[in-house]
Amino acid sequence: MGQIVSVTGSQMQMAAINWHIYLLTGSPLALGLVGACRALPIILCSLMGGVVADVVDRRRLMIVTQSIMLVCSVTLAFVTFSGLTKVWPIFLLTAIASAAWAFDTPARQSLLPMLVPLHDFQNAVSLGMLMFQTGMITGPPLAGFILASHGPGLVYLLNAGSFVAVIVGLALMRTSGKPEKTEAEQPRISFQALVEGLRFVWRTPIIVQTMTLDFVATFFASANQLLPIYAKDILFVGARGYGFLAAAPAAGAIIAGLIVARMGAIKKQGVTVIVSVAIYGAATIAFGVSKVFWFSLLMLAVTGAADTVSTILRQTIRQLVTPNKLRGRMTSVNMIFFMGGPQLGEVEAGTVAALIGAPLSVVTGGVACVLAAAIVLVKAKSLRRYSP
């Protein structure tokens, strides 16, 4: 419940930052640079974040990281209410919060298998995705209405308050967040520990294949960062319409997450992942060429549904083939792909949009995503044949 509140606030802030920067600059490239400010700290810090998550109490680590993100949001609200006219403070605070998130995510995902039995794990991942998507579907529309009436400063302040819900939830949790290890496996923060995690990932083909597919698909088919352009200049729906566009993928994701949770274990999970990625790319193409608001909403909902099915199965596969002592490090390596792909994809989308326009940027990215899925279907035998 705390995460639902926090994710709602975080999604409100992400939507507000994009809108705020586009109002200040009117530049697609500036929108793309937001992705760089999120991606670079994650790439630089995530590997160490995984090592730390495999050493310290994961619950306490999350309390620290959530507190850092709270302070960043309060600071962003303060400078905005003070009359912000430059974009560099937004970039800086976004980067600091992303660095904290790089330590938070390995701890959170590694904690999940310690809280539920293995036979319920896929359903737990599905419910976790529903939690995340619930925040995504409520956050952007709320941000849109607040942006239209009060501006971004209030959104940033509300997000700061939302982190308190997670911190309280973690404080009330009775399960220990310490990694379970024998005396012979006493944890150490060291370069050798980092190498051990990288070696495990590299020597497990199905993990490499799922991570690579995730990175390529989200790098090329990341359209979310260009939504302010679509809302303002293509669909002409303003800040409120932008909020609904930003929430549409989450609407589809919630429906897909409920269906997956209801179905239980899915057979032929590998093929299902690849097909989901192909559908994601095809829906991105359709959104890119659309000039009708309702159809654009529908296609964004399809991208959210396809991405959710793929994400649930990929996370289930990776967590269950990874020993508990290595889950933090495996998750941190995955973060480079999972977060690096879409965030660097935003830089790519903004750059290409500045050169050839937003619609062509989105369409060419969707085509590349479909091609990537076709190549994986032919080449990635371990993933294609995977069935629990």
Side-chain angles (χ1 to χ4, degrees):
M1 295 303 296
Q3 283 281 16
I4 289 175
V5 175
S6 180
V7 172
T8 299
S10 296
Q11 293 303 314
M12 288 173 64
Q13 177 161 306
M14 289 181 68
I17 284 175
N18 293 341
W19 188 257
H20 196 181
I21 285 178
Y22 194 57
L23 287 181
L24 289 175
T25 66
S27 168
L29 186 59
L31 283 173
L33 289 176
V34 180
C37 290
R38 292 181 183 131
L40 291 178
I42 290 172
I43 292 172
L44 294 174
C45 299
S46 61
L47 292 178
M48 183 53 65
V51 173
V52 173
D54 282 338
V55 172
V56 304
D57 187 311
R58 292 158 176 168
R59 185 172 63 91
R60 293 181 180 178
L61 175 59
M62 287 182 65
I63 292 175
V64 173
T65 55
Q66 294 284 320
S67 299
I68 292 172
M69 289 185 278
L70 185 156
V71 171
C72 288
S73 294
V74 169
T75 306
L76 188 54
F78 175 77
V79 297
T80 300
F81 283 128
S82 300
L84 182 66
T85 58
K86 305 291 185 181
V87 295
W88 69 262
I90 303 177
F91 289 151
L92 176 62
L93 291 166
T94 297
I96 295 172
S98 294
W101 199 83
F103 285 84
D104 184 88
T105 300
R108 174 165 39 84
Q109 292 193 8
S110 300
L111 190 61
L112 183 57
M114 302 168 66
L115 301 176
V116 295
L118 287 180
H119 64 270
D120 289 328
F121 187 72
Q122 180 179 305
N123 279 4
V125 174
S126 299
L127 293 173
M129 287 295 298
L130 285 175
M131 170 274 299
F132 183 77
Q133 300 299 344
T134 298
M136 287 190 68
I137 199 173
T138 55
L142 285 173
F145 283 103
I146 295 172
L147 286 170
S149 57
H150 294 88
L154 180 58
V155 177
Y156 302 148
L157 191 60
L158 290 172
N159 181 48
S162 74
F163 287 110
V164 176
V166 177
I167 294 172
V168 170
L170 290 166
L172 294 173
M173 189 179 293
R174 286 176 287 181
T175 300
S176 172
K178 295 180 179 180
E180 299 171 359
K181 294 180 175 68
T182 65
E183 288 298 320
E185 298 173 327
Q186 284 303 308
R188 297 288 186 273
I189 298 178
S190 65
F191 180 74
Q192 288 77 12
L194 174 61
V195 171
E196 182 185 10
L198 290 171
R199 185 182 296 116
F200 169 78
V201 170
W202 182 251
R203 292 179 178 177
T204 310
I206 194 167
I207 293 182
V208 174
Q209 291 163 8
T210 56
M211 289 182 179
T212 304
L213 178 61
D214 187 19
F215 179 86
V216 173
T218 53
F219 177 81
F220 287 110
S222 182
N224 289 347
Q225 203 68 8
L226 302 180
L227 291 182
I229 300 174
Y230 272 84
K232 190 171 183 293
D233 302 329
I234 297 175
L235 300 173
F236 306 105
V237 292
R240 289 183 176 87
Y242 164 62
F244 285 108
L245 287 171
I254 286 179
I255 295 172
L258 286 170
I259 292 172
V260 172
R262 180 67 177 172
M263 291 173 62
I266 296 176
K267 296 181 179 180
K268 296 185 178 180
Q269 291 184 358
V271 172
T272 304
V273 167
I274 298 171
V275 172
S276 298
V277 171
I279 294 173
Y280 175 81
T284 299
I285 296 171
F287 167 76
V289 300
S290 172
K291 294 186 179 180
V292 180
F293 183 53
W294 69 264
F295 185 74
S296 298
L297 289 173
L298 178 61
M299 289 301 99
L300 287 172
V302 173
T303 65
D307 185 50
T308 294
V309 173
S310 173
T311 300
I312 290 171
L313 296 181
R314 283 186 281 108
Q315 185 174 336
T316 300
I317 293 169
R318 286 193 293 259
Q319 291 285 0
L320 295 186
V321 301
T322 303
N324 180 48
K325 68 174 185 176
L326 293 169
R327 283 190 180 125
R329 280 164 282 181
M330 181 279 295
T331 301
S332 69
V333 176
N334 179 56
M335 280 183 63
I336 297 177
F337 293 81
F338 177 71
M339 287 303 299
Q343 303 302 340
L344 291 176
E346 291 173 2
V347 180
E348 179 267 341
T351 303
V352 176
L355 295 173
I356 63 176
L360 272 178
S361 173
V362 174
V363 170
T364 54
V367 171
C369 180
V370 174
L371 291 175
I375 293 171
V376 169
L377 184 63
V378 174
K379 298 290 186 180
K381 295 181 180 179
S382 296
L383 178 57
R384 186 178 70 240
R385 296 173 180 173
Y386 182 83
S387 182

